[in-house]
Amino acid sequence: MVIGADPPDRLDKALARDVPADANLSRTRIARMLAEGAVRCDGLPVTDAKAAVAEGQVYHLRLDPPVALETVAQDMPLSVVWEDGDLIVIDKPAGLVVHPAPGSPDGTLVNALLAHCGDSLSGIGGARRPGIVHRIDKDTSGLLVVAKTDRAHQGLAAQFERHKVERHYLALCHGQPSAADPRLHGISGVEFEAGGILRVATQLARHKTDRQRQAVTSHGGRHAVTRVRVVEGFGTPPAAALIDCWLETGRTHQIRVHLAHLGHGLIGDPTYGGRRKLSVKAVGAAAAGAADAFPRQALHAATLGFVHPVTGQALSFESPVPEDMARLIDQLRDGAARA
Protein backbone atom coordinates (compact mmCIF):
# COMPACT_ATOMS: atom_id res chain seq x y z
CA MET A 1 0.00 0.00 0.00
CA VAL A 2 1.09 3.60 -0.68
CA ILE A 3 0.75 6.49 1.75
CA GLY A 4 -1.45 9.21 0.26
CA ALA A 5 -1.21 12.99 0.34
CA ASP A 6 -1.19 14.91 3.63
CA PRO A 7 -0.72 11.87 5.84
CA PRO A 8 -1.45 11.95 9.58
CA ASP A 9 1.49 12.60 11.89
CA ARG A 10 2.00 8.97 12.95
CA LEU A 11 2.27 5.68 11.12
CA ASP A 12 -0.64 3.74 12.64
CA LYS A 13 -3.06 6.55 11.77
CA ALA A 14 -1.70 6.82 8.23
CA LEU A 15 -1.94 3.09 7.63
CA ALA A 16 -5.48 2.97 9.01
CA ARG A 17 -6.48 5.81 6.68
CA ASP A 18 -4.86 4.49 3.51
CA VAL A 19 -5.12 0.72 3.82
CA PRO A 20 -7.44 -0.72 1.13
CA ALA A 21 -11.03 -0.88 2.37
CA ASP A 22 -11.41 -4.55 1.53
CA ALA A 23 -8.64 -5.41 4.00
CA ASN A 24 -10.98 -4.40 6.83
CA LEU A 25 -8.17 -3.44 9.20
CA SER A 26 -8.93 -1.31 12.23
CA ARG A 27 -6.31 0.96 13.75
CA THR A 28 -6.16 -1.40 16.75
CA ARG A 29 -5.44 -4.34 14.45
CA ILE A 30 -2.78 -2.35 12.59
CA ALA A 31 -1.09 -1.40 15.88
CA ARG A 32 -0.94 -5.08 16.79
CA MET A 33 0.49 -5.95 13.37
CA LEU A 34 3.19 -3.32 13.84
CA ALA A 35 4.11 -4.77 17.23
CA GLU A 36 4.27 -8.26 15.71
CA GLY A 37 6.59 -7.19 12.87
CA ALA A 38 3.94 -7.76 10.21
CA VAL A 39 4.49 -4.32 8.60
CA ARG A 40 7.53 -3.67 6.38
CA CYS A 41 8.95 -0.68 4.53
CA ASP A 42 11.91 -1.08 2.13
CA GLY A 43 12.11 -4.71 3.18
CA LEU A 44 12.62 -3.93 6.86
CA PRO A 45 10.05 -4.43 9.65
CA VAL A 46 8.55 -1.28 11.15
CA THR A 47 7.31 -1.61 14.72
CA ASP A 48 6.88 1.97 15.96
CA ALA A 49 3.24 3.00 15.66
CA LYS A 50 4.22 6.63 16.34
CA ALA A 51 6.86 6.77 13.59
CA ALA A 52 6.82 9.70 11.17
CA VAL A 53 5.41 8.97 7.75
CA ALA A 54 5.67 10.65 4.34
CA GLU A 55 3.53 10.76 1.23
CA GLY A 56 4.47 8.11 -1.32
CA GLN A 57 6.05 5.67 1.12
CA VAL A 58 5.24 2.05 0.31
CA TYR A 59 4.36 -0.37 3.11
CA HIS A 60 3.72 -4.10 2.93
CA LEU A 61 1.31 -5.58 5.50
CA ARG A 62 1.33 -9.31 6.10
CA LEU A 63 -2.15 -10.67 6.75
CA ASP A 64 -1.91 -14.05 8.41
CA PRO A 65 -4.84 -16.48 8.17
CA PRO A 66 -7.28 -16.17 11.09
CA VAL A 67 -6.19 -18.31 14.01
CA ALA A 68 -8.55 -20.67 15.76
CA LEU A 69 -9.58 -19.76 19.29
CA GLU A 70 -9.17 -22.03 22.27
CA THR A 71 -12.89 -21.54 22.92
CA VAL A 72 -14.57 -24.77 21.91
CA ALA A 73 -17.45 -24.91 19.44
CA GLN A 74 -20.56 -26.44 21.01
CA ASP A 75 -23.66 -27.53 19.12
CA MET A 76 -26.43 -25.75 21.03
CA PRO A 77 -29.89 -24.63 19.89
CA LEU A 78 -30.04 -21.03 18.67
CA SER A 79 -33.00 -18.86 17.72
CA VAL A 80 -31.67 -17.17 14.57
CA VAL A 81 -33.71 -14.15 13.48
CA TRP A 82 -31.48 -13.04 10.58
CA GLU A 83 -28.24 -14.24 9.06
CA ASP A 84 -26.10 -13.44 6.05
CA GLY A 85 -22.41 -13.60 5.25
CA ASP A 86 -21.54 -10.65 7.48
CA LEU A 87 -23.73 -10.82 10.56
CA ILE A 88 -26.24 -12.81 12.55
CA VAL A 89 -29.11 -11.66 14.80
CA ILE A 90 -29.99 -13.93 17.71
CA ASP A 91 -33.02 -14.01 20.02
CA LYS A 92 -31.24 -15.03 23.23
CA PRO A 93 -33.15 -16.90 25.94
CA ALA A 94 -32.80 -15.91 29.57
CA GLY A 95 -30.10 -17.92 31.33
CA LEU A 96 -27.62 -17.97 28.44
CA VAL A 97 -24.29 -16.21 29.03
CA VAL A 98 -23.05 -14.30 25.97
CA HIS A 99 -19.28 -14.70 26.32
CA PRO A 100 -17.01 -17.17 28.16
CA ALA A 101 -15.73 -15.78 31.46
CA PRO A 102 -14.54 -17.08 34.83
CA GLY A 103 -17.41 -19.16 36.17
CA SER A 104 -18.85 -19.66 32.65
CA PRO A 105 -16.02 -21.16 30.58
CA ASP A 106 -18.35 -22.83 28.08
CA GLY A 107 -22.01 -23.31 27.25
CA THR A 108 -22.18 -19.66 26.14
CA LEU A 109 -23.59 -17.95 23.09
CA VAL A 110 -20.07 -17.62 21.66
CA ASN A 111 -19.56 -21.39 21.95
CA ALA A 112 -22.84 -21.95 20.14
CA LEU A 113 -22.01 -19.42 17.41
CA LEU A 114 -18.63 -21.04 16.74
CA ALA A 115 -20.47 -24.28 16.00
CA HIS A 116 -23.34 -22.67 14.08
CA CYS A 117 -21.28 -20.35 11.88
CA GLY A 118 -18.27 -22.61 11.34
CA ASP A 119 -16.14 -21.58 8.36
CA SER A 120 -18.40 -18.59 7.59
CA LEU A 121 -16.48 -16.70 10.31
CA SER A 122 -13.77 -14.92 8.31
CA GLY A 123 -11.89 -13.62 11.33
CA ILE A 124 -12.39 -10.72 13.74
CA GLY A 125 -9.16 -8.95 14.65
CA GLY A 126 -7.15 -11.86 13.28
CA ALA A 127 -9.04 -14.58 15.15
CA ARG A 128 -11.77 -16.83 13.79
CA ARG A 129 -14.48 -15.79 16.20
CA PRO A 130 -17.85 -14.04 16.32
CA GLY A 131 -17.61 -10.28 16.84
CA ILE A 132 -19.54 -9.34 19.96
CA VAL A 133 -20.38 -5.63 19.64
CA HIS A 134 -22.90 -5.50 22.51
CA ARG A 135 -24.10 -7.82 25.23
CA ILE A 136 -27.20 -8.47 27.27
CA ASP A 137 -27.05 -9.92 30.76
CA LYS A 138 -27.30 -13.66 31.33
CA ASP A 139 -30.83 -13.42 32.77
CA THR A 140 -32.06 -10.84 30.27
CA SER A 141 -33.74 -12.25 27.17
CA GLY A 142 -33.97 -10.87 23.67
CA LEU A 143 -32.19 -9.61 20.59
CA LEU A 144 -28.53 -9.02 19.88
CA VAL A 145 -26.49 -8.72 16.70
CA VAL A 146 -23.12 -10.40 16.21
CA ALA A 147 -20.59 -9.75 13.45
CA LYS A 148 -19.18 -12.60 11.38
CA THR A 149 -16.58 -10.53 9.49
CA ASP A 150 -14.14 -7.75 10.34
CA ARG A 151 -15.90 -5.25 8.06
CA ALA A 152 -19.23 -5.91 9.76
CA HIS A 153 -17.61 -5.74 13.20
CA GLN A 154 -16.09 -2.33 12.50
CA GLY A 155 -19.28 -0.96 10.96
CA LEU A 156 -21.52 -2.15 13.79
CA ALA A 157 -19.10 -0.95 16.46
CA ALA A 158 -19.11 2.51 14.87
CA GLN A 159 -22.91 2.64 14.96
CA PHE A 160 -22.98 1.67 18.62
CA GLU A 161 -20.30 4.26 19.40
CA ARG A 162 -22.33 6.98 17.64
CA HIS A 163 -25.54 5.86 19.43
CA LYS A 164 -27.18 5.07 16.08
CA VAL A 165 -28.56 1.66 17.07
CA GLU A 166 -32.21 1.45 18.16
CA ARG A 167 -32.66 -0.71 21.26
CA HIS A 168 -35.95 -0.95 23.15
CA TYR A 169 -36.43 -3.16 26.20
CA LEU A 170 -39.68 -4.20 27.85
CA ALA A 171 -39.48 -4.49 31.64
CA LEU A 172 -41.66 -4.95 34.69
CA CYS A 173 -40.82 -2.62 37.56
CA HIS A 174 -42.02 -2.00 41.09
CA GLY A 175 -44.46 0.90 41.23
CA GLN A 176 -45.03 3.21 38.29
CA PRO A 177 -42.71 6.07 37.31
CA SER A 178 -44.84 9.16 36.82
CA ALA A 179 -44.33 12.87 36.20
CA ALA A 180 -46.98 13.42 38.87
CA ASP A 181 -44.65 12.00 41.51
CA PRO A 182 -42.81 14.93 43.11
CA ARG A 183 -40.19 12.55 44.49
CA LEU A 184 -38.89 11.81 40.99
CA HIS A 185 -38.40 15.49 40.25
CA GLY A 186 -35.95 15.66 43.14
CA ILE A 187 -33.70 12.83 41.94
CA SER A 188 -30.45 13.84 40.25
CA GLY A 189 -30.28 13.27 36.50
CA VAL A 190 -34.05 12.91 36.06
CA GLU A 191 -36.20 15.00 33.76
CA PHE A 192 -39.50 14.54 31.94
CA GLU A 193 -39.94 15.00 28.21
CA ALA A 194 -43.07 15.40 26.09
CA GLY A 195 -45.43 12.44 26.05
CA GLY A 196 -44.71 11.40 29.63
CA ILE A 197 -41.24 10.13 28.72
CA LEU A 198 -38.81 10.06 31.60
CA ARG A 199 -35.14 10.68 30.81
CA VAL A 200 -32.42 9.50 33.18
CA ALA A 201 -28.89 10.81 32.55
CA THR A 202 -26.18 9.94 35.09
CA GLN A 203 -22.61 8.74 35.38
CA LEU A 204 -22.21 5.00 36.03
CA ALA A 205 -19.19 3.30 37.59
CA ARG A 206 -18.36 0.14 39.48
CA HIS A 207 -19.75 0.05 43.00
CA LYS A 208 -17.16 1.06 45.59
CA THR A 209 -17.51 -2.08 47.70
CA ASP A 210 -19.12 -4.64 45.36
CA ARG A 211 -17.15 -4.89 42.11
CA GLN A 212 -19.85 -7.05 40.50
CA ARG A 213 -22.33 -4.16 40.63
CA GLN A 214 -22.63 -0.79 38.92
CA ALA A 215 -23.69 2.40 40.69
CA VAL A 216 -24.71 5.97 39.92
CA THR A 217 -21.85 8.31 40.78
CA SER A 218 -21.35 12.07 40.83
CA HIS A 219 -17.62 11.83 40.08
CA GLY A 220 -16.01 9.95 37.21
CA GLY A 221 -17.72 6.98 35.64
CA ARG A 222 -19.24 6.83 32.18
CA HIS A 223 -22.15 8.88 30.88
CA ALA A 224 -25.37 6.86 30.60
CA VAL A 225 -28.78 7.89 29.26
CA THR A 226 -31.99 5.83 29.47
CA ARG A 227 -35.51 6.87 28.49
CA VAL A 228 -38.57 5.25 30.06
CA ARG A 229 -42.22 5.21 29.00
CA VAL A 230 -45.01 3.53 30.93
CA VAL A 231 -46.95 1.05 28.79
CA GLU A 232 -49.37 -0.25 31.44
CA GLY A 233 -49.82 0.08 35.18
CA PHE A 234 -51.16 -2.66 37.45
CA GLY A 235 -53.28 -1.81 40.49
CA THR A 236 -54.60 1.35 42.13
CA PRO A 237 -52.29 2.90 43.00
CA PRO A 238 -50.03 0.96 40.62
CA ALA A 239 -48.03 -1.70 42.42
CA ALA A 240 -46.13 -2.53 39.23
CA ALA A 241 -45.83 -1.32 35.66
CA LEU A 242 -44.88 -2.60 32.24
CA ILE A 243 -42.39 -0.10 30.84
CA ASP A 244 -40.62 0.53 27.56
CA CYS A 245 -36.97 1.50 28.06
CA TRP A 246 -34.66 2.61 25.31
CA LEU A 247 -30.96 3.24 25.40
CA GLU A 248 -28.99 6.19 24.15
CA THR A 249 -25.87 4.62 25.62
CA GLY A 250 -25.23 1.00 26.50
CA ARG A 251 -23.44 0.63 29.83
CA THR A 252 -23.26 -2.51 31.95
CA HIS A 253 -26.57 -3.08 33.79
CA GLN A 254 -27.68 0.39 32.68
CA ILE A 255 -31.46 -0.08 32.73
CA ARG A 256 -31.36 -2.05 35.97
CA VAL A 257 -29.24 0.58 37.73
CA HIS A 258 -31.26 3.52 36.43
CA LEU A 259 -34.59 2.02 37.46
CA ALA A 260 -33.20 1.30 40.91
CA HIS A 261 -31.94 4.92 41.01
CA LEU A 262 -35.54 6.02 40.41
CA GLY A 263 -36.82 3.80 43.22
CA HIS A 264 -38.57 1.57 40.68
CA GLY A 265 -36.28 -1.45 40.57
CA LEU A 266 -37.11 -4.33 38.24
CA ILE A 267 -39.21 -7.22 39.46
CA GLY A 268 -37.03 -10.28 40.01
CA ASP A 269 -33.74 -8.37 39.95
CA PRO A 270 -31.59 -10.00 42.66
CA THR A 271 -28.86 -7.36 42.44
CA TYR A 272 -30.68 -4.04 42.16
CA GLY A 273 -34.33 -4.82 42.88
CA GLY A 274 -34.07 -4.95 46.66
CA ARG A 275 -36.48 -6.93 48.80
CA ARG A 276 -39.55 -4.95 47.79
CA LYS A 277 -42.83 -6.86 47.49
CA LEU A 278 -45.98 -5.98 45.56
CA SER A 279 -49.09 -4.86 47.38
CA VAL A 280 -51.53 -7.75 47.77
CA LYS A 281 -54.32 -5.17 48.06
CA ALA A 282 -53.42 -3.73 44.64
CA VAL A 283 -52.88 -6.89 42.58
CA GLY A 284 -54.10 -9.79 44.71
CA ALA A 285 -52.19 -12.49 46.54
CA ALA A 286 -51.60 -14.75 43.53
CA ALA A 287 -50.03 -12.03 41.36
CA ALA A 288 -48.01 -10.61 44.24
CA GLY A 289 -46.69 -14.10 44.99
CA ALA A 290 -45.85 -14.72 41.33
CA ALA A 291 -43.88 -11.46 41.16
CA ASP A 292 -42.05 -12.29 44.38
CA ALA A 293 -41.08 -15.71 42.99
CA PHE A 294 -40.07 -14.47 39.51
CA PRO A 295 -36.64 -16.08 39.00
CA ARG A 296 -34.86 -13.37 37.00
CA GLN A 297 -34.91 -9.66 36.27
CA ALA A 298 -38.04 -9.02 34.21
CA LEU A 299 -36.19 -7.45 31.29
CA HIS A 300 -36.44 -8.30 27.59
CA ALA A 301 -34.58 -6.80 24.61
CA ALA A 302 -37.64 -6.46 22.39
CA THR A 303 -36.52 -4.25 19.48
CA LEU A 304 -33.22 -3.92 17.63
CA GLY A 305 -32.65 -1.65 14.66
CA PHE A 306 -29.48 -0.69 12.76
CA VAL A 307 -28.09 -0.12 9.29
CA HIS A 308 -26.44 -3.15 7.74
CA PRO A 309 -22.74 -2.22 7.90
CA VAL A 310 -22.00 -3.67 4.44
CA THR A 311 -25.15 -3.33 2.32
CA GLY A 312 -26.48 -0.12 3.88
CA GLN A 313 -29.92 -1.69 4.31
CA ALA A 314 -31.97 -0.45 7.27
CA LEU A 315 -32.85 -3.47 9.41
CA SER A 316 -35.28 -3.70 12.31
CA PHE A 317 -36.22 -6.74 14.38
CA GLU A 318 -38.77 -7.43 17.10
CA SER A 319 -38.89 -10.23 19.65
CA PRO A 320 -42.17 -11.15 21.35
CA VAL A 321 -42.32 -11.03 25.14
CA PRO A 322 -41.03 -14.40 26.41
CA GLU A 323 -43.45 -16.83 28.01
CA ASP A 324 -42.38 -16.24 31.61
CA MET A 325 -42.82 -12.45 31.40
CA ALA A 326 -46.05 -12.76 29.40
CA ARG A 327 -47.49 -15.05 32.07
CA LEU A 328 -46.55 -12.62 34.84
CA ILE A 329 -48.08 -9.70 32.92
CA ASP A 330 -51.35 -11.64 32.60
CA GLN A 331 -51.30 -12.46 36.32
CA LEU A 332 -50.71 -8.82 37.26
CA ARG A 333 -53.43 -7.64 34.89
CA ASP A 334 -55.96 -10.18 36.14
CA GLY A 335 -55.03 -9.62 39.79
CA ALA A 336 -55.40 -5.87 39.49
CA ALA A 337 -58.79 -6.25 37.82
CA ARG A 338 -60.04 -8.49 40.64
CA ALA A 339 -58.54 -6.51 43.54
Side-chain angles (χ1 to χ4, degrees):
M1 59 162 288
V2 180
I3 300 298
D6 299 319
D9 59 358
R10 47 186 286 168
L11 179 58
D12 58 348
K13 292 182 179 180
L15 293 176
R17 186 195 71 171
D18 294 337
V19 71
D22 58 3
N24 299 303
L25 295 178
S26 66
R27 183 177 162 194
T28 300
R29 175 90 182 275
I30 287 172
R32 188 162 62 246
M33 293 174 68
L34 284 164
E36 294 170 349
V39 178
R40 288 179 172 264
C41 182
D42 295 329
L44 298 175
V46 183
T47 58
D48 184 4
K50 298 180 181 180
V53 64
E55 178 182 349
Q57 284 183 322
V58 178
Y59 287 86
H60 296 272
L61 284 67
R62 187 186 73 242
L63 291 176
D64 295 324
V67 298
L69 292 183
E70 292 183 4
T71 304
V72 63
Q74 293 177 302
D75 188 8
M76 299 162 55
L78 285 175
S79 177
V80 178
V81 178
W82 166 282
E83 183 176 11
D84 64 12
D86 289 288
L87 58 85
I88 183 170
V89 178
I90 299 294
D91 195 345
K92 185 187 85 70
L96 180 63
V97 175
V98 170
H99 200 280
S104 301
D106 56 18
T108 71
L109 177 62
V110 167
N111 296 104
L113 287 170
L114 286 170
H116 174 85
C117 297
D119 290 339
S120 68
L121 294 173
S122 67
I124 306 293
R128 193 177 297 281
R129 63 180 175 88
I132 304 298
V133 290
H134 69 128
R135 303 184 189 190
I136 54 180
D137 298 334
K138 171 186 176 183
D139 289 326
T140 298
S141 55
L143 297 167
L144 77 163
V145 58
V146 179
K148 296 169 64 177
T149 63
D150 240 335
R151 61 181 180 176
H153 189 257
Q154 292 180 47
L156 287 170
Q159 290 184 57
F160 276 94
E161 185 177 357
R162 297 195 304 267
H163 312 310
K164 296 296 185 181
V165 179
E166 178 189 11
R167 287 175 288 172
H168 281 255
Y169 290 71
L170 289 175
L172 287 165
C173 69
H174 289 277
Q176 178 175 307
S178 170
D181 184 353
R183 182 187 60 82
L184 289 180
H185 292 266
I187 297 177
S188 63
V190 175
E191 61 181 68
F192 283 89
E193 300 177 335
I197 295 171
L198 186 152
R199 180 178 185 269
V200 188
T202 72
Q203 302 297 115
L204 295 184
R206 287 192 182 275
H207 194 280
K208 291 181 179 180
T209 59
D210 185 349
R211 305 300 288 174
Q212 300 302 312
R213 299 177 61 191
Q214 300 292 311
V216 171
T217 180
S218 56
H219 301 287
R222 305 180 71 187
H223 187 58
V225 180
T226 306
R227 285 179 169 83
V228 180
R229 179 181 65 86
V230 174
V231 177
E232 182 178 358
F234 305 105
T236 306
L242 175 64
I243 54 176
D244 173 20
C245 305
W246 59 102
L247 300 176
E248 183 174 314
T249 58
R251 311 305 181 199
T252 301
H253 300 173
Q254 180 175 316
I255 291 174
R256 299 164 64 190
V257 177
H258 273 170
L259 267 294
H261 179 62
L262 297 178
H264 293 284
L266 300 188
I267 289 174
D269 190 337
T271 304
Y272 303 100
R275 299 180 179 277
R276 190 170 172 181
K277 296 182 182 295
L278 300 193
S279 165
V280 172
K281 184 177 180 180
V283 296
D292 188 48
F294 199 71
R296 67 178 181 98
Q297 63 262 12
L299 183 62
H300 176 66
T303 302
L304 177 65
F306 56 91
V307 174
H308 194 292
V310 178
T311 68
Q313 179 183 2
L315 299 174
S316 183
F317 305 97
E318 294 186 4
S319 169
V321 177
E323 183 179 345
D324 59 349
M325 278 184 63
R327 185 167 54 249
L328 181 55
I329 290 169
D330 287 342
Q331 290 171 308
L332 290 169
R333 188 178 290 137
D334 292 345
R338 296 172 184 272

